[in-house]
Amino acid sequence: MNLLGKLSWDAIPFDQPIVMGASGGMILGIASVVGWVTLKGYVPYLWREWLTSVDHKRIGVMYIVLGLLMLLRGFADAIMMRAQQAVAAGGAQGYLPPEHFDQIFSAHGTIMIFFVAMPLVIGLMNFAVPLQLGIRDVAFPTLNSVSLWLTASGILLTNVSLVVGEFARTGWVAYPPLSELQFSPGVGVDYYLWSLQISGVGTLLTGINFVTTILKIRAPGMSYMRMPVFCWTALAANLMIVAVFPILTATFAMLLLDRYLGFHFFTVDAGGNAMMYVNLFWMWGHPEVYILVLPAFGIFSEVSATFSGKPLFGYRSMVAATMAICVFSLMVWLHHFFTMGASANVNAVFGMMSMIIGVPTGVKIFNWMFTMYGGRVRLAVPVLWTIGFMVTFVLGGLTGVLLAVPAVDWQVHNSAFLVAHFHHVIIPGVIFGVFAGYIYWFPKAFGFTLDERWGRPAFWCWFIGFHVAFMPIYVTGLMGMTRRLQHYDVVSWQPWLLIAAAGVAVIFAGIVSQIIQLVVSIRAREELRDVTGDPWNGRTLEWSTASPPPAWNYAVLPRVAERDAYWVAKKIARANQGQPTQARAYAPIEVPKNTPTGFVNAFFAVVTGFALIWHIWWMAALGAFGAFVTFLAFAFREQEEVEIPAKAIAQFDRAHPTEVAL
């Protein structure tokens, strides 16, 4: 009996210098960081204040750190793909063998969707939504920590595949029959499935947590129609998470049963249907686009109103458009496979729905434009990302409307045109939005603003580089270039692919600028310090508390009488300047006690996932048992909360005065 299942020394690709070099660099980087943290004596602090924290703000920051680190990994894959395609024309074979290139494009898509976009969006929601609602934490703080660390578990397993074994060669959608055991007998698809199953459970728990929080816990007086638009978009996104992530989980479970136990859900024999996988996957997949994009829309709404110095134009229509997108996104999935062979009537219905969903999106674009129109727009870096988004997203949306025509889709399906369209929507719609939110809320999280001298070139490099990188891909798609090509014989495509590679280099300069911006800002943090808690003259409640906020967020829960509560309170305070104010009455506050449950459970999740991938059944059983015992210990904990004395709250509040004490 082999105690290590399928695992052996052959799993480590010693014969592939590129893989071993990347693996060695990753391991060396992790070891260097761990060693530095240990030598500096930061381990107890990190464990006490961060790794075991259940504070929504710190969990949000950790999500964002994970997402940004994985952005570097995913972008490295993009550089390798673009470099390979730029040189692998005609008789030249490039530098990547086909089996390695296949793993790279599969890992790139998987990482960018599941481990970059999702953590960044969820991180910003974690940080901002409870503050905007005027509450002290999410509904289930410990569950929030578990969600974070399950996502981290999926990330770790995906990166382990670089060192031990291989990743899937199926593309990020893992369509059968290619992903079935007959055609992918290695562990690559198993790494893909178990990584996403584990992280998907974490995302589903996040959805449940935020739906409960937004619907049931808000500041006194904050009705639904007084909520900031970002909270509405977060609600819509998390409603979709709750609706569609179980579909993805069930779909992957069926594929796992096919691979592990010889079931035939998606095989052609024994009555299986491979196209059913495609159907189910995109029932999750298209709402996922809006799960990512809607919170970014909320960020653009906050930025537009704040930096225009006026209320958001058409608040009610913005809310209606958000919820319309939430519903319509569940009714358009079939446009991803018009070529499947459905009837003309079915294709027509989904084509029309795909066009209709553009209407509420157009409403949002016009609302942002009218918000800026007539306002005194300050062209701060978040506004640049917002304007850059509007210009780019409209163009990408137009190509989406084009693809919603079934006859057109038949011509360009599976071509590079589709690759260009997808990036034309996701990068401005998600990445630009995340960067706008990252800069906008950074001073609230850390108490100092980011240096704008490096923020502006970072934006322009991203904006220019994006268009240089993807506009040529539209051209190659119309010229007949299909997706996922490691090598091509049509030499006339090469000039366009060389231009695209140059665009990726410009984007890389933008990423370098952002890294420099962060380093420069940290070094100059005293000069950039925000002592007011409100560096942008904000409108919503998060700007009414200290920067960074205390664990309890609000010494006294704010009372909300109308929309843009903090903006209104500041106007009233300025009008009543000089009049005596009522002394605040402080009371003790209970905050959730930190717990290692999430972190420890993540360890066992990684052990279980790795064991299942390699068929090490005894290790899988131990990992599952460890996770069970961890939750059992948490269930029988003696102390759930820690009480903060009223005196400590009062001292903090007086030491960090804001313009208006709500």
Side-chain angles (χ1 to χ4, degrees):
M1 180 180 178
N2 188 358
L3 291 177
L4 295 181
K6 297 163 63 176
L7 185 62
S8 68
W9 285 109
D10 294 335
I12 301 177
F14 292 111
D15 59 332
Q16 299 183 34
I18 295 176
V19 176
M20 293 308 298
S23 303
M26 182 176 70
I27 293 170
L28 182 63
I30 294 172
S32 300
V33 171
V34 172
W36 179 78
V37 167
T38 304
L39 288 174
K40 287 287 188 178
Y42 294 151
V43 172
Y45 167 78
L46 288 174
W47 177 258
R48 183 180 65 253
E49 299 294 335
W50 289 91
L51 301 182
T52 62
S53 177
V54 295
D55 184 341
H56 71 92
K57 301 177 292 297
R58 296 198 166 180
I59 288 174
V61 169
M62 287 188 283
Y63 264 118
I64 292 168
V65 169
L66 278 176
L68 292 176
L69 288 174
M70 292 307 290
L71 176 61
L72 296 177
R73 162 70 203 277
F75 188 73
D77 290 338
I79 291 174
M80 288 191 286
M81 286 189 293
R82 281 285 160 256
Q84 169 68 17
Q85 289 189 331
V87 299
Q93 296 300 314
Y95 69 100
L96 288 174
E99 63 275 6
H100 190 189
F101 184 83
D102 292 349
Q103 292 181 60
I104 287 173
F105 72 65
S106 301
H108 172 74
T110 304
I111 287 169
M112 286 300 196
I113 295 296
F114 292 97
F115 300 138
V116 174
M118 286 299 290
L120 289 174
V121 166
I122 291 174
L124 290 173
M125 289 192 295
N126 252 294
F127 180 82
V129 166
L131 288 169
Q132 288 196 331
L133 292 176
I135 59 179
R136 296 200 166 102
D137 213 323
V138 294
F140 310 112
T142 302
L143 201 66
N144 203 17
S145 172
V146 171
S147 300
L148 164 70
W149 291 111
L150 286 177
T151 300
S153 300
I155 289 173
L156 182 57
L157 278 176
T158 300
N159 283 286
V160 166
S161 71
L162 183 66
V163 185
V164 185
E166 61 180 4
F167 197 68
R169 304 177 190 177
T170 56
W172 77 276
V173 290
Y175 284 166
L178 183 57
S179 57
E180 293 282 2
L181 200 59
Q182 179 182 356
F183 300 102
S184 295
V187 295
V189 174
D190 300 322
Y191 266 113
Y192 168 89
L193 290 171
W194 286 115
S195 298
L196 298 188
Q197 284 290 61
I198 291 169
S199 63
V201 170
T203 303
L204 178 60
L205 295 177
T206 295
I208 294 169
N209 206 346
F210 274 93
V211 168
T212 306
T213 300
I214 297 170
L215 292 182
K216 303 301 292 183
I217 311 175
R218 299 186 301 280
M222 181 170 282
S223 62
Y224 290 132
M225 296 310 292
R226 291 174 182 169
M227 291 196 308
V229 170
F230 183 67
C231 294
W232 273 106
T233 57
L235 174 62
N238 284 283
L239 284 170
M240 287 189 283
I241 287 174
V242 174
V244 302
F245 261 82
I247 300 174
L248 186 69
T249 301
T251 305
F252 284 168
M254 286 188 278
L255 184 54
L256 283 165
L257 288 171
D258 278 7
R259 290 181 59 84
Y260 279 72
L261 297 177
F263 282 42
H264 296 286
F265 287 108
F266 306 124
T267 58
V268 293
D269 47 350
N273 185 351
M275 283 311 306
M276 186 52 65
Y277 177 95
V278 182
N279 216 338
L280 292 170
F281 184 91
W282 288 112
M283 287 177 73
W284 162 84
H286 199 83
E288 168 68 5
V289 172
Y290 292 99
I291 288 169
L292 299 174
V293 169
L294 277 178
F297 285 177
I299 293 168
F300 295 131
S301 299
E302 303 298 332
V303 168
S304 299
T306 297
F307 289 97
S308 298
K310 56 182 288 195
L312 182 70
F313 180 89
Y315 173 88
R316 289 180 179 273
S317 64
M318 190 70 87
V319 170
T322 298
M323 300 315 292
I325 291 172
C326 177
V327 175
F328 291 165
S329 71
L330 303 172
M331 304 163 68
V332 296
W333 77 89
L334 194 130
H335 72 211
H336 287 273
F337 47 100
F338 280 142
T339 56
M340 179 181 75
S343 70
N345 289 337
V346 171
N347 283 356
V349 168
F350 280 88
M352 287 185 287
M353 286 305 306
S354 301
M355 296 178 189
I356 289 170
I357 201 171
V359 174
T361 306
V363 168
K364 288 177 174 288
I365 296 288
F366 281 110
N367 281 0
W368 294 319
M369 291 171 62
F370 286 130
T371 300
M372 294 181 182
Y373 178 76
R376 294 185 176 180
V377 181
R378 293 170 283 156
L379 287 176
V381 178
V383 179
L384 294 180
W385 287 107
T386 302
I387 296 172
F389 150 78
M390 287 193 285
V391 172
T392 310
F393 192 81
V394 167
L395 293 174
L398 290 174
T399 62
V401 173
L402 185 65
L403 288 167
V405 180
V408 175
D409 186 81
W410 270 77
Q411 296 300 315
V412 297
H413 186 78
N414 206 39
S415 75
F417 188 94
L418 189 62
V419 174
H421 159 71
F422 184 75
H423 287 82
H424 212 151
V425 173
I426 289 294
I427 290 180
V430 180
I431 300 300
F432 283 22
V434 164
F435 287 155
Y438 160 75
I439 297 167
Y440 182 62
W441 282 306
F442 189 93
K444 179 54 59 179
F446 297 104
F448 60 94
T449 57
L450 287 168
D451 192 306
E452 288 208 347
R453 292 171 299 176
W454 283 100
R456 293 180 184 278
F459 162 75
W460 286 112
C461 286
W462 266 95
F463 183 76
I464 295 169
F466 168 80
H467 289 92
V468 175
F470 289 101
M471 288 304 180
I473 305 302
Y474 281 117
V475 177
T476 60
L478 293 173
M479 293 171 70
M481 181 178 177
T482 56
R483 295 187 284 180
R484 311 183 184 103
L485 289 182
Q486 177 262 348
H487 172 268
Y488 51 94
D489 294 320
V490 184
V491 183
S492 60
W493 298 342
Q494 189 173 30
W496 298 104
L497 293 170
L498 286 168
I499 295 171
V504 172
V506 177
I507 295 175
F508 179 68
I511 292 176
V512 171
S513 298
Q514 288 172 300
I515 294 171
I516 294 173
Q517 178 194 32
L518 183 60
V519 173
V520 168
S521 301
I522 292 172
R523 287 182 174 178
R525 58 187 177 276
E526 292 306 322
E527 301 168 28
L528 300 169
R529 182 72 61 189
D530 166 37
V531 295
T532 66
D534 184 20
W536 311 124
N537 193 20
R539 310 182 67 83
T540 44
L541 290 177
E542 73 268 31
W543 305 109
S544 68
T545 186
S547 298
W552 54 87
N553 288 352
Y554 296 96
V556 178
L557 289 181
R559 293 192 170 273
V560 177
E562 50 191 302
R563 211 175 297 142
D564 288 346
Y566 189 50
W567 180 266
V568 172
K570 286 189 291 186
K571 286 176 62 178
I572 294 172
R574 289 162 189 162
N576 298 332
Q577 201 167 13
Q579 297 185 15
T581 56
Q582 187 176 358
R584 306 187 85 186
Y586 298 98
I589 296 173
E590 290 184 340
V591 297
K593 185 181 179 183
N594 287 356
T595 173
T597 300
F599 187 86
V600 175
N601 183 67
F603 169 78
F604 287 118
V606 171
V607 169
T608 305
F610 185 82
L612 289 169
I613 289 163
W614 289 99
H615 295 195
I616 310 173
W617 307 120
W618 62 269
M619 185 186 292
L622 283 179
F625 180 73
F628 172 74
V629 170
T630 302
F631 282 121
L632 200 64
F634 173 74
F636 285 92
R637 66 197 183 282
E638 293 182 0
Q639 186 180 11
E640 298 182 24
E641 295 175 322
V642 176
E643 184 178 276
I644 310 296
K647 183 178 179 182
I649 296 167
Q651 286 176 343
F652 182 91
D653 216 28
R654 291 172 190 135
H656 300 83
T658 55
E659 183 176 347
V660 177
L662 290 173

